[in-house]
Amino acid sequence: MDGLNCLSISEARDRLRAGEITSMELTQACLAAADEAEALNAVVHPTPDLALEQARAADARLAKGQAPAMCGIPVGIKDLFCTEGVPSQAASGILAGFKPAYESTVTSRLFEAGAVMTGKLNMDEFAMGSSTETSVYGSTVNPWKSGDTELTPGGSSGGSAAAVAADLCLGATGTDTGGSIRQPAAFTGITGMKPTYGRVSRWGIIAFASSLDQAGPMTKSVRDAAIMLEAMSGHDPKDSTSADMPVPDFEGLLTGEIGGKTVGIPQEYRMDGMPAAIDELWASGRSMLEDAGATLVDISLPHTKVALPAYYVVAPAEASSNLARYDGVRYGHRATLAQGDDITAMYERSRAEGFGDEVKRRVMIGTYVLSAGFYDAYYNHARKVRALIKKDFEDVFADGIDAILTPATPSAAFPLGQEFDDPVQMYLNDVFTVTVNLAGLPGISVPAGLDPDGLPLGLQLIGKPWEEGELLDFALAIEDRAGFVAKPEKWW
Amino acid sequence: MSIDRDDARRVASLARIRVDEEDLPALASEFNAILGFIEQLREVDVRDVEPMTSVTPMRLKRRADRIAGGGIAEKVLANAPDAREGYFVVPKVVE
């Protein structure tokens, strides 16, 4: 019989409210599962004492009745979120030993709703990567295997994805700058949602590219995504880009009914050399939506091809600015200085020692595209292309498209340690997801099938701004019909 | 447009990241691969397009001009590699 840690959020919520189980039992089951799963390297800072204290408080609250849906639910938190008194280092050596004196808005909201934090989860350093291999803690291993080959869980929210897929927690927070929730969700057979830019406060989330970053839920079902998204969302005066608008009752509104709606199939997402399994998955997704009563329409998003290059100007530019704060003065790593080293030497050596190679690369590319003489040619040009990418979406939505269906990733999970000819090869992982960040739209990855090697594959649905509720209905329509119940065989 | 060793050294210095002299050629070649990829953007006609400043149309909120916090110097300094007497400590800056 499966342990309590294998429950979904909605199942656990119902059983907690019915008094059939306690948060303490549920939390202990998750902590025990995480203890056994060291081989996955998903949890990098376990917080069992805090978890048990929060579980005790949640049980007291549940006993009084009227507890929110997340009350007593054990969740994992990506290491990018600042959590008071708990190491928060964005999987970077430069933040070694950093313990924030404050709590991020997202974790504050989750805790106010009664959620239990079981630990901090692995990720690519500063969320820069698609494989969780750039982490200072070492790679996370995907619970899914291909024969004996260890695979990446994707990234950057790879620890979150692996933890949820391996039932170490019921849900996890992720962040998504170019696909960092949706790609790892697809690689591990779970649901991952990036909300509309501004839906979830960025305050207290260690910044990568501020105009693209957005936090979201990573869960075992679409219903769970609705529950957790609602708890994470809402206006926050401390984030000037957070939207001052009401948060819908996402779960209450969830029906999975999409009859009479129109779904766009963008022709530009049909890539040369795409594996047959991805093409077949996409086709089966189309049938599922038709079966649910939606009308499919071929659409064109003409600037899709240049989204990835535009992203690799905008994101590094913002990163170079955001990461300028790591200077060895206020927090984190400071290099040991030699006699006569000046402050510039302190900056240069602290940053050289503290940042990993991919972060250095992106900070320097960002510095280059913002530098005098290149700013217009690269950065401003990319911002104009970004405006065109957003307009592509606005045009199809204005034409009556309600949602867009694409594959989530160009492949299934790939082996850890795979060598790439150059950094750009790794960047291609984000080819289907990055447009959504550039346009600020909500997107969700739903597990929808297995490839010939038995590895999970995800479909991506893209929605209109602020229409996460409608998007979740499309996702549920896919989930209901895909009947994806496969789980990785436990080897860890 | 090709990046050479001198450009790589200049960018590293602007980014305040020390790079050893022998690592510069490899760095320059990585920059060239990434910038080569970015070059595709040139194919896009962006005449009369305004550069995006905000992905969702919104006016930044203004808050009242009053003190909303403070008095937490200890917390601010708690993570500093070197802090003394209520200050961050850095190598001598002024001769």
Side-chain angles (χ1 to χ4, degrees):
Chain A
M1 197 189 114
D2 286 343
L4 294 178
N5 53 305
C6 298
L7 293 175
S8 67
I9 293 174
S10 62
E11 290 164 351
R13 183 258 327 260
D14 295 346
R15 292 179 65 179
L16 285 165
R17 284 185 177 166
E20 293 166 21
I21 57 171
T22 64
S23 174
M24 189 56 89
E25 291 163 351
L26 188 59
T27 301
Q28 281 168 337
C30 288
L31 292 173
D35 268 349
E36 283 175 23
E38 265 180 42
L40 297 177
N41 197 29
V43 184
V44 290
H45 298 290
T47 53
D49 295 342
L50 175 66
L52 294 174
E53 185 190 314
Q54 288 175 328
R56 201 170 294 119
D59 280 330
R61 196 163 159 191
L62 281 157
K64 286 190 209 136
Q66 302 286 316
M70 287 300 291
C71 189
I73 304 293
V75 294
I77 303 294
K78 189 178 184 181
D79 200 37
L80 203 63
F81 291 77
C82 285
T83 43
E84 190 174 355
V86 175
S88 308
Q89 60 180 88
S92 180
I94 208 152
L95 277 171
F98 178 61
K99 288 186 185 175
Y102 51 85
E103 193 69 52
S104 79
T105 297
V106 166
T107 45
S108 294
R109 281 183 199 276
L110 286 170
F111 295 163
E112 277 161 27
V116 171
M117 176 169 80
T118 54
K120 300 298 284 290
L121 304 175
N122 207 357
M123 54 181 282
D124 280 296
E125 183 181 6
F126 284 106
M128 297 180 193
S130 304
S131 65
T132 318
E133 289 173 296
T134 69
S135 166
V136 74
Y137 310 115
S139 309
T140 293
V141 185
N142 195 329
W144 295 81
K145 268 190 174 180
S146 172
D148 286 333
T149 309
E150 290 195 335
L151 305 173
T152 174
S156 69
S157 309
S160 302
V164 173
D167 293 312
L168 313 185
C169 46
L170 274 56
T173 60
T175 62
D176 192 316
T177 305
S180 279
I181 287 176
R182 291 160 286 155
Q183 182 253 23
F187 278 9
T188 56
I190 66 165
T191 301
M193 184 172 200
K194 182 202 97 72
T196 312
Y197 182 81
R199 176 65 85 185
V200 175
S201 168
R202 291 181 295 107
W203 193 82
I205 301 174
I206 296 168
F208 162 14
S210 303
S211 79
L212 301 160
D213 296 345
Q214 187 65 194
M218 301 180 74
T219 57
K220 300 178 193 179
S221 72
V222 172
R223 177 167 301 277
D224 286 6
I227 294 171
M228 194 164 165
L229 175 64
E230 192 178 329
M232 294 169 71
S233 298
H235 177 59
D236 177 11
K238 288 187 287 199
D239 172 3
S240 61
T241 60
S242 128
D244 192 357
M245 50 200 297
V247 178
D249 172 4
F250 290 122
E251 191 196 6
L253 294 168
L254 189 64
T255 60
E257 283 166 23
I258 55 165
K261 298 206 174 176
T262 308
V263 178
I265 308 296
Q267 297 313 297
E268 290 80 3
Y269 283 61
R270 214 173 283 285
M271 302 269 169
D272 289 340
M274 195 154 80
I278 301 284
D279 221 11
E280 286 159 21
L281 179 86
W282 198 9
S284 72
R286 296 196 288 271
S287 318
M288 293 179 217
L289 293 177
E290 270 181 332
D291 178 63
T295 305
L296 300 184
V297 178
D298 282 341
I299 58 167
S300 174
L301 300 166
H303 296 92
T304 300
K305 184 171 164 269
V306 285
L308 209 47
Y311 175 83
Y312 276 97
V313 174
V314 172
E318 294 187 23
S320 79
S321 168
N322 272 324
L323 271 61
R325 72 189 68 182
Y326 304 104
D327 54 8
V329 175
R330 287 155 298 168
Y331 30 67
H333 177 74
R334 177 188 290 193
T336 309
L337 300 182
Q339 195 70 31
D341 272 350
D342 62 4
I343 194 157
T344 304
M346 183 193 76
Y347 296 150
E348 291 183 342
R349 291 182 42 196
S350 298
R351 289 163 66 80
E353 291 173 11
F355 290 143
D357 288 343
E358 182 60 23
V359 170
K360 286 181 195 170
R361 198 150 40 226
R362 295 207 201 179
V363 166
M364 287 192 271
I365 285 288
T367 303
Y368 181 78
V369 300
L370 290 174
S371 64
F374 300 103
Y375 186 91
D376 267 324
Y378 286 109
Y379 183 63
N380 263 343
H381 192 85
R383 287 199 302 145
K384 289 177 186 175
V385 172
R386 187 177 177 187
L388 292 172
I389 290 165
K390 182 168 182 242
K391 187 172 178 299
D392 284 353
F393 284 102
E394 286 168 349
D395 289 348
V396 297
F397 290 139
D399 282 348
I401 297 294
D402 297 303
I404 296 164
L405 178 75
T406 78
T409 57
S411 72
F414 50 89
L416 284 168
Q418 183 163 323
E419 296 278 340
F420 293 100
D421 296 339
D422 64 61
V424 173
Q425 293 302 314
M426 184 66 99
Y427 300 170
L428 294 175
N429 263 288
D430 294 333
V431 66
F432 295 142
T433 46
V434 75
T435 49
V436 174
N437 301 78
L438 289 167
L441 302 171
I444 187 166
S445 169
V446 189
L450 298 172
D451 81 347
D453 296 325
L455 297 175
L457 297 172
L459 283 169
Q460 172 177 242
L461 286 152
I462 304 169
K464 292 178 281 193
W466 314 114
E467 297 292 346
E468 287 91 349
E470 184 180 36
L471 183 61
L472 285 160
D473 279 333
F474 282 101
L476 185 60
I478 293 272
E479 183 185 77
D480 281 346
R481 285 163 184 79
F484 185 93
V485 290
K487 296 285 282 183
E489 204 167 312
K490 189 165 184 268
W491 54 265
W492 55 91
Chain B
M1 166 97 226
S2 177
I3 302 264
D4 61 18
R5 173 197 288 245
D6 290 337
D7 297 322
R9 189 188 298 110
R10 184 181 63 89
V11 173
S13 156
L14 281 173
R16 297 287 185 270
I17 295 174
R18 174 151 312 178
V19 177
D20 291 335
E21 201 62 28
E22 70 254 32
D23 295 332
L24 287 173
L27 186 65
S29 115
E30 283 174 358
F31 285 172
N32 281 320
I34 297 169
L35 292 171
F37 176 63
I38 292 170
E39 281 304 316
Q40 296 176 54
L41 291 176
R42 303 265 163 269
E43 298 162 17
V44 185
D45 181 359
V46 293
R47 272 173 303 174
D48 305 323
V49 179
E50 281 296 310
M52 183 187 284
T53 49
S54 172
V55 70
T56 41
M58 56 169 71
R59 181 175 286 276
L60 279 187
K61 282 180 175 273
R62 295 176 182 180
R63 62 169 173 78
D65 185 14
R66 57 178 168 74
I67 296 168
I72 52 165
E74 253 178 60
K75 280 188 167 187
V76 171
L77 294 170
N79 281 291
D82 193 357
R84 283 172 237 162
E85 297 171 38
Y87 292 94
F88 294 109
V89 179
V90 295
K92 192 164 156 187
V93 179
V94 184
E95 290 301 324

